[in-house]
Amino acid sequence: MLDHEKAVLGACLVNSANIGPVVESLRADHFTAKARPIFLAMKAMLEVGQPVELIGLKNQLVKTASLESVGGIAVVAGLSDGLPAIPREVLDGWVSAVKEAGRRRRVASEIARLGTVASDEGLDSASLLEQIQAVAFDLDAGTVGGTSFGPVDLMREASRLVDEICDSEGGIIGVPSGLPALDEMTGGFRPGQYVAVGSRPSVGKSSLSLQIASHAADMGHVVAFFSIEMEAGELALVRACSEAEVSRFAIQNSRGNHRDMHKITAAIGRQSGTPMFVEKLTSPSLGPIRSRAARIRAERGLGLIVIDYLQLMRSESKRSNRNEEITEISRGLKVMAGQLGCPVIVCAQLNREAAEKGNTKPRLSQFRDSGSIEADADVAILLHRTNENADRSLPVDVDLIVDKNRTGACGVVATSFLGKWQKFVPREAFTE
């Protein structure tokens, strides 16, 4: 057992109140094999409201048949020998040392494992690189096989969520979309959520996702926008034109007047101060997205990830068909959302077949290439145009159909899409 482990566990025996902060900061895998059963025993006692003291701890270790494996009662009793009352800042230092040691052991273990994997001549270098990226991502995200929540943990999480809702404005506790009716329905996009925005081609899913990303950045959330199809400069111009309410097409065709150019310049200047980062992918696969997102999170924090769009991505492992490939990518993105602790909005195409049979509303089952998108999504927003205008200066009515919502209501948000500005606005608020 390491000295810092002894100190942390001993501090919990000296003062039972210390176990709460220790359990909040550490997991069982942060401890060595000798110390781990003692930590788990203390955590179990905390969860049933039992004070952490020597006799109770011994009984708990006997109950789990762990007393002998930790060295017997003498080792357990010796944890608190000579320890005075511990200031919180000292305890925090010991906890950090235990966490760092556990992390280093995991790194060393994974390096050794990858060395063995690399010696397998049947494994191609691309697959090996994907495994290395996955390990680096998991270590950076701080996840090792998930997290356990006991009764006390669940109560704490529920209380935290209630406090957030009470402190929020209008119940919006996640990242806002900028469309009030949509935010009211979803409560904002929450950490760990996988949000699928689906439509048939050229209906507006890319514009909507960019608008949400832009609004989130305007509100101070760090946004990583992964663009597979659109170049970074083009994307930045669309964003600026949307805010300035200037036609991008007029600018591109040299028909913009001085007033328009001034508005565009002002919008670009203001947006340069917002935390939105565009990642242009030349290799549109899960590994680069995970590693780049983890890097941004480590350097700046991360509030939202947007990916445009799913069907342009490729799997790094060999799959027999496109359905299996998209299924693997979709599930990988959902896992990534949970590991990075931020919402992930993914644009996805719907099949054309329903449109060819008439102007029917889209359905969840129409996501192209894989049914797993429907199953994986925490929130699914389907775009449905209810009218068409050849003239881009005129609005097009687009219903945002919230067809799946694990944490709130489903329904329809009525918007108007202004093609000349690539912008969605509430339909009732639109005036020509």
Side-chain angles (χ1 to χ4, degrees):
M1 194 182 303
L2 301 178
D3 288 343
H4 285 111
E5 292 176 330
K6 292 179 182 177
V8 167
L9 297 174
C12 294
L13 270 179
V14 169
N15 183 355
S16 188
N18 286 332
I19 186 63
V22 168
V23 166
E24 286 182 8
S25 302
L26 296 174
R27 299 188 305 268
D29 54 79
H30 286 131
F31 289 86
T32 56
K34 282 282 188 182
R36 194 173 302 139
I38 300 174
F39 171 77
L40 289 173
M42 289 180 172
K43 184 177 180 182
M45 294 170 72
L46 173 68
E47 289 176 348
V48 296
Q50 181 182 353
V52 177
E53 43 76 34
L54 181 59
I55 301 302
L57 179 59
K58 183 202 77 170
N59 292 338
Q60 181 65 29
L61 288 167
V62 170
K63 181 180 176 181
T64 58
S66 302
L67 183 59
E68 293 307 315
S69 68
V70 302
I73 187 61
V75 169
V76 177
L79 291 173
S80 57
D81 285 351
L83 279 180
I86 309 299
R88 178 60 187 271
E89 60 270 19
V90 174
L91 178 61
D92 288 344
W94 292 345
V95 166
S96 295
V98 171
K99 184 182 293 186
E100 176 63 16
R103 187 177 174 87
R104 290 180 69 86
R105 284 194 305 274
R106 173 81 198 285
V107 170
S109 173
E110 290 295 347
I111 289 173
R113 185 184 67 80
L114 289 171
T116 302
V117 171
S119 65
D120 181 0
E121 295 182 358
L123 186 71
D124 59 67
S125 59
S127 298
L128 176 61
L129 181 60
E130 168 62 12
Q131 289 197 38
I132 293 171
Q133 290 173 330
V135 168
F137 171 76
D138 285 345
L139 290 170
D140 182 78
T143 58
V144 185
T147 305
S148 298
F149 291 89
V152 173
D153 303 310
L154 292 173
M155 179 189 67
R156 188 182 296 115
E157 286 298 304
S159 298
R160 179 189 60 77
L161 191 57
V162 168
D163 289 343
E164 285 185 7
I165 293 172
C166 292
D167 293 342
S168 67
E169 296 182 6
I172 309 301
I173 63 173
V175 177
S177 69
L179 293 167
L182 181 59
D183 290 336
E184 184 177 350
M185 201 170 290
T186 63
F189 301 120
R190 320 286 180 85
Q193 279 189 333
Y194 176 39
V195 182
V197 177
S199 77
R200 297 165 190 127
S202 302
V203 174
K205 61 182 176 296
S206 295
S207 296
L208 178 63
S209 66
L210 177 58
Q211 182 172 327
I212 292 172
S214 183
H215 179 76
D218 290 343
M219 298 294 290
H221 299 280
V222 177
V223 177
F225 193 104
F226 290 90
S227 176
I228 300 174
E229 197 168 38
M230 191 180 296
E231 294 298 324
E234 178 74 3
L235 193 146
L237 179 59
V238 171
R239 184 188 177 199
C241 287
S242 180
E243 177 182 320
E245 297 188 342
V246 171
S247 171
R248 175 168 62 105
F249 307 102
I251 295 292
Q252 290 179 174
N253 294 325
S254 301
R255 294 200 304 270
N257 56 39
H258 290 296
R259 180 173 176 272
D260 287 344
M261 296 307 295
H262 177 74
K263 290 169 68 176
I264 284 286
T265 302
I268 291 173
R270 195 198 64 78
Q271 290 174 352
S272 67
T274 62
M276 179 167 164
F277 301 87
V278 174
E279 299 283 335
K280 184 67 176 75
L281 294 173
T282 55
S283 176
S285 56
L286 190 56
I289 288 176
R290 290 189 304 193
S291 59
R292 292 190 193 189
R295 184 198 69 219
I296 293 173
R297 178 177 178 268
E299 293 175 352
R300 305 173 181 272
L302 191 56
L304 176 66
I305 296 171
V306 179
I307 300 169
D308 184 25
Y309 64 92
L310 180 60
Q311 280 86 1
L312 289 178
M313 293 181 65
R314 288 290 179 266
S315 172
E316 287 154 324
S317 59
K318 295 179 181 178
R319 293 293 173 179
S320 59
N321 58 57
R322 185 60 174 158
N323 185 291
E324 289 185 1
E325 193 175 19
I326 292 296
T327 295
E328 178 187 284
I329 294 168
S330 176
R331 289 177 180 168
L333 291 172
K334 182 177 178 66
V335 169
M336 182 182 74
Q339 290 177 320
L340 289 180
C342 70
V344 174
I345 297 177
V346 180
C347 297
Q349 280 197 1
L350 302 180
N351 294 321
R352 292 179 179 270
E353 59 184 34
E356 292 169 354
K357 296 176 182 177
N359 187 27
T360 58
K361 290 184 179 181
R363 302 188 304 275
L364 278 176
S365 59
Q366 293 169 350
F367 279 108
R368 203 181 82 190
D369 293 328
S370 176
S372 70
I373 305 170
E374 170 189 354
D376 295 335
D378 298 297
V379 178
I381 304 171
L382 309 179
L383 279 61
H384 175 52
R385 288 195 177 188
T386 58
N387 68 342
E388 293 289 346
N389 280 315
D391 186 348
R392 284 185 175 272
S393 66
L394 298 175
V396 176
D397 291 340
V398 180
D399 287 341
L400 309 184
I401 304 170
V402 181
D403 214 1
K404 182 179 182 182
N405 187 4
R406 294 190 198 275
T407 58
C410 294
V412 176
V413 176
T415 71
S416 292
F417 178 63
L418 313 179
K420 60 180 179 179
W421 299 334
Q422 301 287 290
K423 186 175 188 177
F424 288 83
V425 297
R427 195 174 302 166
E428 68 276 8
F430 176 75
T431 55
E432 295 189 55

